[in-house]
Amino acid sequence: MPKYIFVTGGVVSSVGKGIVTASLGRILKSRGHRVSILKLDPYINVDPGTMSPYQHGEVYVTDDGAETDLDLGHYERFLDDNLTRANSTSTGQVYEEVIRMERRGDFLGGTIQPIPHITNEIKRRIRSAQQALDADIVLVEVGGTVGDMEGQPFLEAISQMRHALEPHDTMSIHVTLLPYIGATKELKTKPTQHSVRELRTFGIQPDVIVARSDFPVGQSLREKISLFCNVDTEAVIALETADSIYEVPLYLEAAGLSQIVARQLELPVAEADLEDWRGFVQRLREPSATARIALVGKYVELHDAYLSIKEALIHAGVHHGAKLDLRWVHSEDLESRPPEEVIGDVDGILLCPGFGDRGLEGKIAAVRYAREGLIPYLGDCLGLQMMVCEFARNVAGMPGANTTEADPRTPFPVISLLSEQRGVDELGGTMRLGGYDCRLVEGTRAAEAYGASNVRERHRHRYEVNNALLPVLQEHGLVASGWSPDGRLVEICELRDHPWMVGAQFHPEFTSRPNRPNPLFRDFIGAALERAGSAAATGAVASA
Ligand code: GLN
């Protein structure tokens, strides 16, 4: 009988519920369980694919092509498993399905209502997340905060499930924030008490409270929360803000969370084997070198927009025993200021993915600076496309070369739509999405990085390298080093006469894991460190 752990949030959102859920998943997997994690997102959008990064942060893409919440990235990185579209559900998807059934006549004669029709569909999806991974433990995280109007059907469905299951097959974990009052220098528990009360209005009594805080939480506060919320003191877990999210599983294990879960769910006695994870965190804490990396994008004030890229860089840095000094660079800054002023002292340049034409010329300036200055460069999706445009314009004699996304009338459309995509005018769900195989060309940097001839990486884009103009680019030294198995689509490009300049049409960040960095990220950082090292050796390192 599978076990279900429901994770809800109280007081405010963004307190790290996703990290707590992912961390518990990791710990339970380390005890030998098969774990699946489901994110329930209360918004009415069908998926976050069409939401602004300002609203939502990054869109995480699963191997089976679902556009999902960034928490799915945490789940995959912490669990080290590939999740599926069954691991992410929104209110929009639930209603879409119920309305489809109603139109089909499945409920003929009935009035469609939140209870039971919507809650039944939610429960069906919770069970699908179990089946997708044949899990013996399913963690279900409800997005947002208890009390949000749009989250109510999810809590109602959870309450029904808890009622139907045996007490030892389910538990509830509530993650809250203890606000700090500067004037009196104290942490307050009242908002936690209120949110537990709100949760109880759905018939859900939490078994564990994870109290997040930026300051140490004393025993007496835990006792107070215990008393007011009817939770054992040992099950009130104080989680202070950690230096790194990767420390959280170790912290929760030390705080006894897996023992509490094991007791309540009557799990067999087992030790959590977190040695590998501990080693990663140890290396993360003790770097022996530094590389300065510029991330060029258009949402740089919002690091969540490039979350998986940031994490993939951390994995690659830890692999090399290095700390990365990340410089977030707005591509529009490179349109008004010379690159040497903005990114003159970096050891590597990563060009982020993106849509639309804002800041594209700044991106091209960054590519040119990397190519001419022999600075290691990783182009991520749009970063590959801009690398090809820059090369076409400034090396291959194609002035005005561009992607037709930005300039439909460019004389040299080196990046364009596939013929079968022309005429598609819906924006939702019309992209090349998810994992595709890629054949690597022997003797290239890409093949060297992966150490394989066939790899699988995840895509999210519409435009492609235009094969009609590719021969001219190749004559001038651009190497197409990765291809779709049918030989029709260029997936990776690189430059021969450069220390390390590689662009991928896919998003390599989605397959990077702690202790298993994505090979392109790993070798990009390796090249950047080499540059940093030789600059230091020749005394050429910038004072910054
Ligand atoms: N806008 C480009 C395309 O649709 C690149 C997308 C991306 O960087 N993810 O092809």
Side-chain angles (χ1 to χ4, degrees), residues 57-270:
E58 139 185 304
V59 174
Y60 190 81
V61 181
T62 55
D63 185 77
D64 65 349
E67 295 179 277
T68 69
D69 186 76
L70 51 76
D71 276 327
L72 269 278
H74 291 311
Y75 302 165
E76 285 205 347
R77 288 186 285 271
F78 279 57
L79 277 186
D80 196 5
D81 267 328
N82 279 355
L83 300 180
T84 70
R85 63 177 64 251
N87 295 93
S88 167
T89 276
S90 69
T91 295
Q93 285 171 29
V94 170
Y95 272 84
E96 194 182 41
E97 182 61 23
V98 171
I99 291 171
R100 202 179 56 78
M101 291 193 282
E102 186 273 338
R103 292 289 83 185
R104 207 170 53 194
D106 291 8
F107 314 113
L108 269 191
T111 305
I112 314 306
Q113 293 178 306
I115 304 171
H117 302 93
I118 296 297
T119 48
N120 281 352
E121 176 60 17
I122 294 169
K123 288 189 284 182
R124 189 188 68 76
R125 284 167 180 261
I126 294 174
R127 286 190 292 268
S128 299
Q130 185 272 325
Q131 287 149 5
L133 274 82
D134 189 23
D136 45 48
I137 301 180
V138 187
L139 275 68
V140 181
E141 180 192 347
V142 184
T145 311
V146 169
D148 295 347
M149 182 189 265
E150 62 269 36
Q152 292 187 7
F154 290 120
L155 295 178
E156 185 58 43
I158 288 170
S159 179
Q160 291 174 12
M161 254 187 113
R162 280 169 62 80
H163 178 72
L165 290 166
E166 294 294 329
H168 58 262
D169 284 336
T170 169
M171 71 187 289
S172 156
I173 298 180
H174 194 52
V175 184
T176 72
L177 175 76
L178 304 181
Y180 181 75
I181 307 297
T184 53
K185 296 194 172 36
E186 53 176 353
L187 291 164
K188 303 303 264 182
T189 65
K190 187 75 82 188
T192 296
Q193 299 172 32
H194 277 292
S195 84
V196 168
R197 205 168 298 156
E198 183 75 34
L199 192 58
R200 285 200 197 121
T201 62
F202 292 92
I204 303 172
Q205 162 65 37
D207 303 295
V208 171
I209 292 178
V210 176
R212 287 275 296 105
S213 139
D214 288 332
F215 297 89
V217 179
Q219 178 68 8
S220 62
L221 271 192
R222 291 175 61 212
E223 283 168 6
K224 187 171 177 188
I225 295 170
S226 157
L227 185 65
F228 280 89
C229 302
N230 296 352
V231 171
D232 295 342
T233 310
E234 56 149 20
V236 177
I237 294 182
L239 181 60
E240 235 185 280
T241 304
D243 291 336
S244 155
I245 56 171
Y246 296 105
E247 300 193 6
V248 176
L250 304 180
Y251 187 90
L252 292 178
E253 177 64 9
L257 179 60
S258 74
Q259 305 295 336
I260 297 167
V261 172
R263 211 171 312 133
Q264 160 114 21
L265 297 182
E266 298 178 0
L267 303 175
V269 183

Side-chain angles (χ1 to χ4, degrees), residues 3 9-10 13 50 114 123 135 144 147 203 216 290 307 312 326 348-349 379 398 409 412 493 528 532:
K3 315 268 185 187
S13 60
T50 52
K123 288 189 284 182
T290 305
L307 183 68
L326 301 183
I349 297 173
M398 302 183 193
R409 275 185 280 278
F412 299 103
C493 286

Side-chain angles (χ1 to χ4, degrees), residues 353-355 380-382 385 405 460-463 507:
F355 293 83
D380 192 319
C381 202
L382 181 66
Q385 299 177 352
E405 181 180 15
R460 180 172 185 256
H461 61 104
R462 292 191 180 83
Y463 295 80
H507 291 248

Side-chain angles (χ1 to χ4, degrees), residues 24 60 63 67 91 139 145 187 197 220 308 327 349 376 383 403 466 471 474-476 490 504 511 515:
L24 179 58
Y60 190 81
D63 185 77
E67 295 179 277
T91 295
L139 275 68
T145 311
L187 291 164
R197 205 168 298 156
S220 62
S308 292
R327 313 277 173 89
I349 297 173
T403 160
N466 181 351
Q474 287 171 311
E475 276 162 32
H476 284 83
V490 174
T511 55
N515 281 331

Side-chain angles (χ1 to χ4, degrees), residues 368-390:
R368 180 172 199 164
Y369 190 67
R371 181 178 56 76
E372 293 180 345
L374 304 180
I375 303 167
Y377 173 95
L378 176 58
D380 192 319
C381 202
L382 181 66
L384 164 276
Q385 299 177 352
M386 290 303 102
M387 175 178 156
V388 172
C389 292
E390 192 281 331

